[in-house]
Amino acid sequence: MSAQLPMLIVQMGRPPHDVSEVLGEQPDWFLAALAPANLDVLVVRPHMGEPLPQPGSFAGAVVTGSWHMVTDLHDWSERTAEWIRQLVAAE
């Protein structure tokens, strides 16, 4: 096991079925792009109720796009927005 902190992929919802059937889900896309870097990667899905990790427990984060509008104010989206504000404040 690597001593480095993992890269984090925050999956913000699921793509429509016709998209995921052909292309997979957002983490698949980013994992393919990150594969050459040989990084440990952790995927977190706030839309499924998974907790977001504490600052300092990962090397960096990729927050995927979503098919939901930010103005829909979904609980998981608002929770993730607050988490991002905390990360920025923690530098």
Side-chain angles (χ1 to χ4, degrees), residues 45-62:
R45 298 168 183 88
H47 67 283
M48 295 180 69
E50 295 178 1
L52 293 154
Q54 293 297 312
S57 65
F58 53 93
V62 174

Side-chain angles (χ1 to χ4, degrees), residues 1-88:
M1 183 158 163
S2 174
Q4 72 183 17
L5 293 173
M7 178 63 102
L8 181 66
I9 298 175
V10 182
Q11 182 179 351
M12 299 298 290
R14 299 190 67 205
H17 180 71
D18 58 335
V19 173
S20 63
E21 192 173 80
V22 175
L23 301 173
E25 294 194 14
Q26 298 98 310
D28 301 321
W29 313 339
F30 289 99
L31 287 169
L34 293 170
N38 196 28
L39 300 170
D40 291 331
V41 178
L42 172 65
V43 177
V44 177
R45 298 168 183 88
H47 67 283
M48 295 180 69
E50 295 178 1
L52 293 154
Q54 293 297 312
S57 65
F58 53 93
V62 174
V63 180
T64 72
S66 176
W67 276 262
H68 297 278
M69 296 297 294
V70 70
T71 55
D72 290 342
L73 303 176
H74 291 286
D75 175 65
W76 55 267
S77 180
E78 292 298 295
R79 186 168 32 93
T80 304
E82 177 57 30
W83 176 78
I84 292 171
R85 285 189 285 276
Q86 290 172 5
L87 292 178
V88 171

